[in-house]
Amino acid sequence: MDLPSGSKNPRLALRNLDSLLYKCLALIGLALFFRAVVVLPLSSYGGMRPQKLDLGQSLSSDNGIRQNKFLEVPQIVWGLNNQKIAFARACLTARMLNRTLLMPSLSASLFYKEVDRLQPISFNRVFQFEKFNSLCSGFVQLGRYSDIRNETGVYEVQKGSGRRWTVQKDLDQLKQVSMDPVDGHEVLRIVGKNPFLWQDHWPVKDYARVFECLVLVDEIAREADRVVSKIRDTGKQLRSGDDDDGLSSQQVPYISVHMRIEIDWMIHCKKLEQRSNITQICSSKMEIMERVGNIRGIKPPTMVYLAVADSLLEDSSILTGWSEGLVPIEKKKLGVDGIYKKYPYLIQSAIDYEVCLRSDVFVGNSFSTFSSLVALDRTQKTIRMGLATGSSSCGVDVRWPSYAYNILGESNGPHRWMTNMSDSSLQAISYGTNVISC
């Protein structure tokens, strides 16, 4: 009986079968290698470079934020409140990517154009690191560089710039780097412009949540305590003749006014008025004094702390012309300028911010970032105490009222100011429009 030709030599048939199997396996291996090494998704945004992937298990903290995936951002620069916004934006970016933000460097000095002269200062020299993580647990998280295990290379993400880099392009980039293979890297390092200039994708309430977690280190908080106590003690002495007062020094109220009348601000705001066709941005010294004097419910005599630029401390005219019963004072006249001089610009601003935040009445300029964040913090405190909602609180006799002196309010006074916490982005803070009409 004849056998099929392939069966005449069984050993040869098996050898051919093995050869075919090896070839198939080799082709499959080659395809997988080609896919892993060559056909990696390349981003069209910023020339990101794929590197070795982290194949380890993802570790998560109890609050759900990954502890072995980090986001690194450029040094945060400019004024105190620009830096706070930039920091919050970096935190919210890390939250979107489900990553821990590596503790960034802030800038102790203030050089808007000479970036190379910016003096870096660690975040935990100004704000409490552990307190931040405790208060913001489950929302955002800070990490230290010592937490990095160096299991993969750092993946650099170049932030786009210019008018063509739209909000949507920026959002697309963030979505892309949140997925594999990029997400496999232990550290994503964003390079380019500082976070204050990044596109904004988050509502005001998210920023407010981060700001609430920023608690000054004990040393700076004690310095702010000293300034506030000095203001209240001086106010107590002014009221010493009032038989019906009965207030302790710590209960004596004071007003804080963030007085923006320095030359560089006036030049800036005049240009801003011309560009935006808005007239309620700049305020003269006399206009501020008049409007503050028309705030209802202030019992004289009342201390008025003027938070002003150092260039105005030699201008004695800022202390004259106020309504009867209002007693203006600034850090030099108060005798606390020595406290401020011990520290760099950033910490000086942090002390003044705290003094304004704690005041019984705050009056500022709605187009100033400093004033806007003080008003936001005070609005958030009011909401937390259940005294108002995020969108309607003007009719409530709030514990920490704020006013915008650049906008005319009732009785020729400043406009009542409550931050609109329902805004979809923080952009309004930068343009003075985040003021609820009362």
Side-chain angles (χ1 to χ4, degrees):
M1 182 173 62
D2 293 335
L3 294 173
S5 60
S7 301
K8 292 181 180 178
N9 192 339
R11 187 174 297 176
L12 179 61
L14 288 174
R15 186 182 302 160
N16 291 337
L17 183 61
D18 287 345
S19 177
L20 182 61
L21 180 61
Y22 290 148
K23 288 179 181 180
C24 289
L25 290 174
L27 287 173
I28 292 172
L30 183 62
L32 289 174
F33 176 81
F34 182 78
R35 180 178 180 275
V37 176
V38 181
V39 191
L40 284 173
L42 297 178
S43 169
S44 59
Y45 303 115
M48 299 182 291
R49 300 185 297 277
Q51 299 178 18
K52 180 182 176 182
L53 302 184
D54 178 9
L55 301 178
Q57 291 294 320
S58 175
L59 299 178
S60 296
S61 64
D62 292 338
N63 55 35
I65 300 173
R66 294 182 296 178
Q67 292 180 315
N68 70 331
K69 301 294 182 182
F70 303 95
L71 181 70
E72 181 182 359
V73 300
Q75 179 181 346
I76 293 174
V77 300
W78 298 345
L80 168 70
N81 292 285
N82 298 82
Q83 293 191 49
K84 288 173 70 174
I85 291 173
F87 171 77
R89 193 161 289 160
C91 284
L92 294 172
T93 300
R95 172 179 165 82
M96 174 181 281
L97 301 175
N98 189 18
R99 286 176 175 266
T100 294
L101 177 67
L102 288 170
M103 185 169 60
S105 290
L106 306 178
S107 299
S109 54
L110 179 64
F111 291 95
Y112 283 100
K113 295 182 179 180
E114 301 171 89
V115 178
D116 58 319
R117 296 182 62 188
L118 290 170
Q119 178 186 352
I121 183 172
S122 177
F123 172 88
N124 60 357
R125 284 276 311 280
V126 184
F127 301 106
Q128 296 185 38
F129 177 89
E130 298 295 344
K131 190 72 171 180
F132 179 88
N133 277 342
S134 174
L135 293 174
C136 265
S137 177
F139 189 68
V140 295
Q141 181 173 298
L142 280 179
R144 302 179 187 274
Y145 279 84
S146 58
D147 297 332
I148 300 174
R149 296 174 297 169
N150 294 315
E151 293 188 355
T152 68
V154 175
Y155 192 99
E156 287 193 350
V157 180
Q158 176 70 49
K159 272 289 182 183
S161 60
R163 293 183 179 180
R164 293 185 178 181
W165 188 257
T166 63
V167 172
Q168 188 58 51
K169 282 186 176 181
D170 191 77
L171 188 61
D172 289 344
Q173 183 189 53
L174 291 176
K175 289 179 179 178
Q176 186 170 22
V177 300
S178 69
M179 300 183 295
D180 287 332
V182 178
D183 187 57
H185 290 78
E186 184 180 11
V187 178
L188 290 186
R189 176 187 295 149
I190 296 183
V191 296
K193 55 191 179 182
N194 89 81
F196 182 78
L197 298 176
W198 293 357
Q199 297 284 7
D200 187 6
H201 307 291
W202 300 276
V204 170
K205 62 181 181 64
D206 284 358
Y207 283 94
R209 179 77 177 84
V210 175
F211 295 148
E212 280 188 304
C213 304
L214 292 172
V215 179
L216 293 173
V217 296
D218 290 342
E219 179 187 356
I220 302 174
R222 284 194 295 268
E223 301 290 29
D225 289 341
R226 291 174 60 190
V227 177
V228 171
S229 294
K230 190 66 180 292
I231 296 171
R232 295 195 190 277
D233 287 344
T234 306
K236 178 64 176 176
Q237 294 172 13
L238 289 174
R239 294 181 173 215
S240 59
D242 294 353
D243 295 333
D244 60 342
D245 193 350
L247 297 175
S248 68
S249 293
Q250 294 307 310
Q251 294 173 314
V252 174
Y254 72 94
I255 301 171
S256 63
V257 179
H258 182 221
M259 204 169 187
R260 297 303 307 268
I261 56 172
E262 62 272 21
I263 294 176
D264 61 339
W265 166 260
M266 297 304 288
I267 293 173
H268 166 72
C269 73
K270 287 295 183 184
K271 290 181 178 179
L272 189 58
E273 284 185 338
Q274 293 172 0
R275 289 199 306 267
S276 58
N277 198 28
I278 298 174
T279 58
Q280 293 182 318
I281 300 179
C282 303
S283 291
S284 67
K285 175 176 58 181
M286 295 307 298
E287 183 178 76
I288 296 172
M289 293 176 177
E290 179 184 354
R291 290 183 178 178
V292 172
N294 289 330
I295 296 175
R296 296 189 304 175
I298 296 177
K299 180 182 177 182
T302 297
M303 299 294 297
V304 180
Y305 177 75
L306 305 179
V308 296
D310 286 347
S311 60
L312 294 175
L313 294 179
E314 305 302 325
D315 183 3
S316 60
S317 68
I318 64 174
L319 300 175
T320 59
W322 292 84
S323 300
E324 185 177 357
L326 297 182
V327 183
I329 200 164
E330 31 76 10
K331 60 176 75 81
K332 186 176 181 180
K333 186 177 179 181
L334 190 62
V336 296
D337 53 327
I339 293 176
Y340 289 82
K341 289 178 180 178
K342 294 190 299 183
Y343 299 102
Y345 161 80
L346 183 69
I347 295 178
Q348 292 182 27
S349 296
I351 295 173
D352 250 3
Y353 185 93
E354 195 69 15
V355 173
C356 291
L357 184 62
R358 298 186 197 178
S359 63
D360 297 85
V361 177
F362 171 70
V363 191
N365 188 301
S366 65
F367 278 80
S368 161
T369 306
F370 183 103
S371 293
S372 295
L373 289 198
V374 171
L376 185 153
D377 265 350
R378 292 166 70 90
T379 300
Q380 183 76 340
K381 284 173 66 177
T382 300
I383 294 171
R384 289 295 187 199
M385 293 194 68
L387 299 178
T389 65
S391 59
S392 178
S393 42
C394 293
V396 180
D397 185 17
V398 297
R399 173 65 181 82
W400 298 282
S402 300
Y403 296 85
Y405 58 65
N406 57 304
I407 304 175
L408 183 63
E410 60 180 349
S411 303
N412 291 319
H415 192 283
R416 278 286 296 274
W417 188 357
M418 297 292 290
T419 301
N420 186 356
M421 304 300 285
S422 63
D423 268 349
S424 59
S425 78
L426 202 67
Q427 185 177 17
I429 290 290
S430 304
Y431 296 97
T433 58
N434 193 282
V435 181
I436 296 177
S437 298
C438 299

